[in-house]
Amino acid sequence: MSQWVICQQENDLSGKIIIMINIEQIRARIAEAIKQSGLPYKEIANRLGIKPTQISSYIHGRKMPALDTLANLCVILDLDANEILCVK
């Protein structure tokens, strides 16, 4: 995941570093993780209990997975949800 863009960091008035989470960065991370998995969309979809068109929608940025689907996607692809969500 090191090739992904780093979430924007800023300092607040007290000097603390705050991370600005951008939905486009999250979408890009989800899409990249799916592509890098090497798994067919159909297999990922079957494991998640959704249609393969949903996986395509995630990759092309048309939709975001529901929270439970995102959590299960992280398990299936062996991802750290914190990195996907720009928390780490």
Side-chain angles (χ1 to χ4, degrees):
M1 291 188 203
S2 59
Q3 73 279 8
W4 292 345
V5 293
I6 297 172
C7 298
Q8 181 180 351
Q9 294 185 5
E10 296 181 4
N11 291 332
D12 67 7
L13 296 175
S14 68
K16 291 182 190 174
I17 295 177
I18 55 173
I19 298 174
M20 302 302 295
I21 298 171
N22 180 312
I23 194 75
E24 293 306 319
Q25 290 171 319
I26 295 171
R27 283 186 178 140
R29 286 172 181 230
I30 291 170
E32 189 63 28
I34 292 170
K35 290 176 191 174
Q36 284 187 0
S37 75
L39 295 172
Y41 296 0
K42 187 174 182 178
E43 182 177 341
I44 296 170
N46 285 340
R47 289 186 189 184
L48 291 171
I50 61 175
K51 295 180 181 179
T53 54
Q54 286 292 104
I55 302 297
S56 179
S57 292
Y58 304 154
I59 287 180
H60 297 291
R62 292 187 297 268
K63 293 186 179 180
M64 288 287 290
L67 288 177
D68 59 334
T69 303
L70 177 60
N72 290 322
L73 183 63
C74 288
V75 170
I76 290 167
L77 301 181
D78 193 28
L79 302 171
D80 182 345
N82 289 324
E83 287 189 28
I84 295 292
L85 297 173
C86 303
V87 176
K88 227 176 179 180

